[in-house]
Structures are given as structure tokens and as C-alpha cells.
Amino acid sequence: MSLNKLQAIVLAAGQATRFKTGNTKLIEKICGQEMIVFSAKLLEKLNIPTIFVVGYQKEIIENLVSKHTCCKPQFIHQEKQLGTGHAVACTKDLWNQKNILILNGDVPLVTQKIIEKLYKKHTESDAAISFVVSHYTGSDHAYGRVVEDEKSIRIVEAKDFNQDIYDEQCCINAGIYLIKTTFLKSCINKLTTKNASQEFYLTDLVQMACKKNLKVVTSYAPFDRIRGINDFEELWAAEQIKRSEIIKHWMKHGVRFHLAQKIHIDIGVQIGVGSTIGSGVHLLGNTAIGQNCNIRKFSTLENATIEDNVEIFPNTIIRDSYVSKHAKIGPFAHIHSESTIEQHAVVGNFVEVKKSTVGSHTKAKHLTYLGNATIGSKVNIGAGTITCNHDGVKKHQTIIQDNAYVGSNNTLVAPITIGKNSFTAAGSTITKDTPSNSLAIGRTRQINKENYAQKLLEKLKARSAFINKKNETAHVITPKKIQEKEL
Ligand code: UD1
Ligand code: CA
């Protein structure tokens, strides 16, 4: 459906006092995407030229919207936040289409379908003003109520409502309007601040149209799609809805979830057919998971690319990194800062990989730190190996070439290269480059003193008796000694 002769205004200047954070609420994320980006992307998808009314922390909002949209949105500054009616009035020099779609910036879950339905009803009935309504059963002071009889219709803000809101069955105003520009031009300057909030209410336009005998049309939408986000509780509720929508989407695309209610997935995530996601897993940012992967419980993947047939064991963290097919990672592994794990590699328990490449078929299975390292293929990294990449001032590279065997508990002091097919002995501190095909031993040699055990035992007992005696005399403190001590 094409929406013609239309421009949009998004109201995004408010201070969000109910959030109490001191920041604009429009930058709070829902499943990884800032609230204001939802409406920006939707309007871009619908190809509607859009004006954003910005005010409080306007630079942040302008940057976000510009970053996430390709079309060039316009920004209008509302210096003082005098109400939604005033915000719309600030844009009037830019009105150049037959109809104007107005969206509150804090209604992120609104869909294309809702806008299209509103447009259809508005244009077909040639209304002066059309707006989206819904049902809300809460008794709190949120949402304008639609008060309607045969002859009139108006929106009364919750604060100005004198009857008991809880008992009222009337619809609420969703904050999404489609208005004929001629009507808007004739009425926008007639709004007043005679209300409980002493603000210019955009919603008063409904009553104005009605009084002029102009057509007013409402379009119904499910409440979950038009929830306004005024505090953290409402943000949480909206995120629950979005999250379950994302999970259901991937279920339909052949992804298995264990205890789906405990899983979080951001909007930008992709998951291949046949993959399984465990309980408590968080898939964040632009994470992309291939086919037939198994991401086991309590793992967190953020901006991670995982190729097909990868096994990620529980409690693993992968950030800004790449894992190639058939690799096995974890449990309790931490891979981050642009690391790459190549095909069939194994990165096991308590292994941290930072800014490093682990080659194909290489194994680092236990208790290891690999930082600023380039590790070839078919390398063995023994348990407890540490790359000492930082000298106190600068970071240095460790290179371990193909087929090398690094023994357990090695300390590799960078910059350093371990050559192809080389061995390093267990417990070594390796400070010099190791040529290919060699064995490096960097530790004190062991001496065995034969039959020395009994002698050692006697020596130890004698030393212990001597120390005990010394302590006994030292602990007898005379009153005189105490006095001296205190002085
Ligand atoms: C508004 C509606 C209410 C509706 C509800 C739906 C009015 C008077 N009330 O109430 O009928 O049920 O939305 O969610 O419109 N803003 C500005 N400049 C301002 C004031 C607000 O840009 O001077 C922006 C805010 O940033 C926000 C949007 O307008 O994105 C709505 O403002 P908000 O204060 O949240 O309005 P509600 O009290 O929720
Ligand atoms: Ca609101």
C-alpha cells in the first residue's frame, strides 16, 4: 500500500521526567534498539518524509536518528517543552503535504499495519483528523481518554478526567494521528494551556474539529502495539513483548529454544536453521549464528559471528569476534576484541582469547590467556599457558606457528615467536624466539638428592622446636613491658 501526499512528525523533545534518569527516555533500548529508532525506521520503510521535533538532549537524538536512517530526516528545535501541541506548532513552516502523520516518539511498537489502516480510514472518509485508539484497563494517570457520544468526541487527558478512570470503559488515545494540513493550519494556534498540566495539548484538536462539524475518525489497534513508554516498568513490559515476538519469529525459522522465557535476543540477531539456543542465553547486537549450532545455557554472544556447526558450551562469553565452522568453545570461555577462532579449533574451560587468532584444529583446552597472539593450525596450547603481552607500557605480539606444541604452565613473554613443529617444555618461561623443529626449555633443572628424605624431616622438626621455644619466651609480657609498649 502506498501512502501518498503525506509527511510525518515525530515528537521527541520531551524531558522524560517519569524515567528519573536525567536522560531522554528515547535513547533507552528495547531488544538492543533505541526507542526513537523504532519510529525512525518504520517511517523510512513506509517512505514518508519525516520531521523530528527535538529539544531535550537534541544532539543525542539527532545523531541516533541520522545514524540509523538513510533518508535525510529534518530536525526542528523546540526550545521549551510546552506540550505536544506546541511541539507540532514548531514545525509549521515545513508543512508541504496534504496530510500530516503525527507520532509520539515514545510509542515504539507501532506497526506498518496500524499506520496503513489509519491512512485508509482517514483518506476514505475524508476526515479532518483521525487517530488511533485502544483499550486500557489500568487505573493510573496515563493516556488520554476518548469521551464520545452520538454528537461529540474529544480526548480528555487522564489528569483532567474527573470521573473515576478505573470505572470508565472508554477507549484511550494512542498518540498516533493523521491530520489534514488545512485543518491543522487553521487550528494549531488556537490551542490553549487551560488544563491541569498547563501545556498545549495536541489532543484538543479533536474537540475543535468536532465543534466545527468536521469529520473525526478513530482507528482501533491492540494495546500491546501502541503502549506508550513513560517509565521503566512500561519499558520492561514493551521489551517483554518485543522479545517474545523475536523468539517466536526464530522458532518459525527452525530454531529450537530451551526454556524460551529465559532467553534474550536483540533485534539485529540472525540465527540459522537447526540451531539450538539454551536457557539463559543472551544474543546481543549484530550477532549472527549459522546453521546447526548449539549455544548452550547462560552464554552471552554480542556482535559475534558464528559459522555453521559450532558448539558453544555453557557460560561462555563471545564479544566482537568470529568463530568458524565446527569449532568448540567453552564452558566458561571468554573470546573478545576482534578475535578469530578458525575451523575445528577447540577453546576450552577458563580460556580467555583477546585480539588473537586461533588457527584451525588448534586446541587450547584449559586455563589459558591468549592475548595479541597469532596461533597457527594444529597447535597444542597446554593447560595454564599465559601470553605475557603487556610489558607495563606496551602490548606485544606472540606468534605460535603451525603444529607447535606448547607444554603446560608456559609463560610466553612477548614479543616472541615459537617456530613450526617446535616443543616447549612444561613449566617453561619462554623469553627468546624458538626456531622451528626445536625444543625450548626455560626452567631450572631438577636435582634429586637420594635418601635425603629422613634427614630433611629431622632438620625440619629441629627448626620447628626452636621456633616454638622462641615464641614461648617472647609471649611472656611483664606489666613493665606493656607500659613501655604503650608509651
Ligand atoms: C500523550 C497524549 C495522550 C496519549 C498518550 C499516548 C497529549 C497531551 N497527550 O500523553 O492523550 O494517551 O500520549 O501515549 O498529547 N513531547 C515533545 N514536546 C513537548 C511534550 C512532549 O516533543 O513539549 C514528546 C515527548 O518527548 C513524547 C511525546 O511527545 O515522545 C508524548 O509526550 P508525553 O509527555 O509522553 O505524553 P503523554 O503524557 O504520554
Ligand atoms: Ca507518553
Side-chain angles (χ1 to χ4, degrees), residues 145-328:
R145 312 281 149 157
V146 183
V147 179
E148 197 175 1
D149 56 31
E150 293 94 56
K151 285 190 195 138
S152 70
I153 178 165
R154 65 200 165 105
I155 298 170
V156 183
E157 287 309 300
K159 278 187 192 166
D160 302 283
F161 209 79
N162 351 355
Q163 290 142 38
D164 188 348
I165 285 171
Y166 193 67
D167 289 340
E168 285 300 323
Q169 288 302 306
C170 53
C171 279
I172 55 116
N173 165 34
I176 303 158
Y177 319 82
L178 192 48
I179 308 178
K180 240 186 213 172
T181 311
T182 47
F183 168 68
L184 196 57
K185 275 186 179 159
S186 68
C187 288
I188 197 75
N189 289 333
K190 294 187 182 139
L191 295 174
T192 68
T193 55
K194 286 182 202 148
N195 52 57
S197 308
Q198 297 186 310
E199 286 183 357
F200 293 98
Y201 288 164
L202 181 63
T203 45
D204 286 348
L205 290 178
V206 170
Q207 194 176 6
M208 284 184 187
C210 187
K211 278 188 179 157
K212 286 187 169 191
N213 284 326
L214 297 170
K215 193 123 196 204
V216 176
V217 164
T218 59
S219 178
Y220 186 82
F223 180 67
D224 275 352
R225 291 281 135 220
I226 57 88
R227 281 168 178 270
I229 315 295
N230 297 310
D231 56 28
F232 276 116
E233 188 183 331
E234 285 165 341
L235 182 79
W236 166 75
E239 192 167 46
Q240 299 263 61
I241 293 164
K242 193 72 204 167
R243 184 187 294 124
S244 83
E245 184 186 309
I246 294 170
I247 290 175
K248 283 179 195 161
H249 166 86
W250 290 117
M251 282 172 170
K252 286 200 181 85
H253 286 79
V255 179
R256 168 88 207 265
F257 293 89
H258 290 293
L259 276 179
Q261 66 273 27
K262 298 200 168 179
I263 292 168
H264 177 90
I265 302 184
D266 276 352
I267 285 170
V269 170
Q270 300 288 323
I271 314 172
V273 173
S275 287
T276 300
I277 313 296
S279 166
V281 165
H282 286 209
L283 302 177
L284 309 175
N286 294 321
T287 290
I289 295 169
Q291 298 187 359
N292 303 315
C293 291
N294 196 355
I295 317 296
R296 305 242 186 142
K297 54 190 173 186
F298 307 117
S299 292
T300 298
L301 275 57
E302 185 171 3
N303 301 325
T305 304
I306 313 290
E307 287 188 355
D308 298 345
N309 300 300
V310 168
E311 185 91 14
I312 294 178
F313 292 97
N315 297 290
T316 290
I317 296 172
I318 304 179
R319 284 211 164 90
D320 305 313
S321 292
Y322 195 98
V323 180
S324 308
K325 19 186 169 177
H326 297 284
K328 287 187 171 31

Side-chain angles (χ1 to χ4, degrees), residues 292-441:
N292 303 315
C293 291
N294 196 355
I295 317 296
R296 305 242 186 142
K297 54 190 173 186
F298 307 117
S299 292
T300 298
L301 275 57
E302 185 171 3
N303 301 325
T305 304
I306 313 290
E307 287 188 355
D308 298 345
N309 300 300
V310 168
E311 185 91 14
I312 294 178
F313 292 97
N315 297 290
T316 290
I317 296 172
I318 304 179
R319 284 211 164 90
D320 305 313
S321 292
Y322 195 98
V323 180
S324 308
K325 19 186 169 177
H326 297 284
K328 287 187 171 31
I329 317 284
F332 295 97
H334 184 192
I335 294 166
H336 60 116
S337 312
E338 290 158 27
S339 291
T340 301
I341 311 298
E342 292 182 348
Q343 294 183 21
H344 294 275
V346 181
V347 175
N349 338 220
F350 305 103
V351 175
E352 179 180 352
V353 182
K354 184 191 173 193
K355 261 191 188 300
S356 295
T357 299
V358 175
S360 62
H361 296 271
T362 285
K363 290 177 182 163
K365 290 175 82 165
H366 328 268
L367 303 154
T368 285
Y369 172 60
L370 302 170
N372 302 89
T374 306
I375 300 163
S377 61
K378 295 189 179 155
V379 168
N380 178 78
I381 306 286
T385 295
I386 304 290
T387 55
C388 307
N389 56 334
H390 195 229
D391 61 10
V393 180
K394 253 177 94 176
K395 297 251 170 82
H396 301 279
Q397 286 289 318
T398 296
I399 298 167
I400 304 174
Q401 294 176 344
D402 295 351
N403 230 19
Y405 187 100
V406 176
S408 292
N409 198 25
N410 267 222
T411 305
L412 308 174
V413 183
I416 197 155
T417 300
I418 312 287
K420 266 187 184 173
N421 308 320
S422 287
F423 281 79
T424 65
S428 289
T429 298
I430 306 291
T431 55
K432 289 189 280 191
D433 286 353
T434 303
S436 297
N437 305 305
S438 50
L439 165 67
I441 307 172

Side-chain angles (χ1 to χ4, degrees), residues 98-169:
K98 188 176 172 203
N99 286 299
I100 297 185
L101 173 70
I102 301 170
L103 286 179
N104 283 356
D106 62 349
V107 186
L109 302 182
V110 59
T111 59
Q112 176 169 351
K113 222 166 131 186
I114 291 170
I115 305 290
E116 285 174 349
K117 185 176 164 194
L118 177 71
Y119 179 84
K120 195 162 180 277
K121 285 189 106 174
H122 179 78
T123 47
E124 280 176 5
S125 57
D126 196 29
I129 178 164
S130 307
F131 62 102
V132 177
V133 297
S134 189
H135 279 295
Y136 173 66
T137 49
S139 60
D140 50 343
H141 280 232
Y143 301 106
R145 312 281 149 157
V146 183
V147 179
E148 197 175 1
D149 56 31
E150 293 94 56
K151 285 190 195 138
S152 70
I153 178 165
R154 65 200 165 105
I155 298 170
V156 183
E157 287 309 300
K159 278 187 192 166
D160 302 283
F161 209 79
N162 351 355
Q163 290 142 38
D164 188 348
I165 285 171
Y166 193 67
D167 289 340
E168 285 300 323
Q169 288 302 306

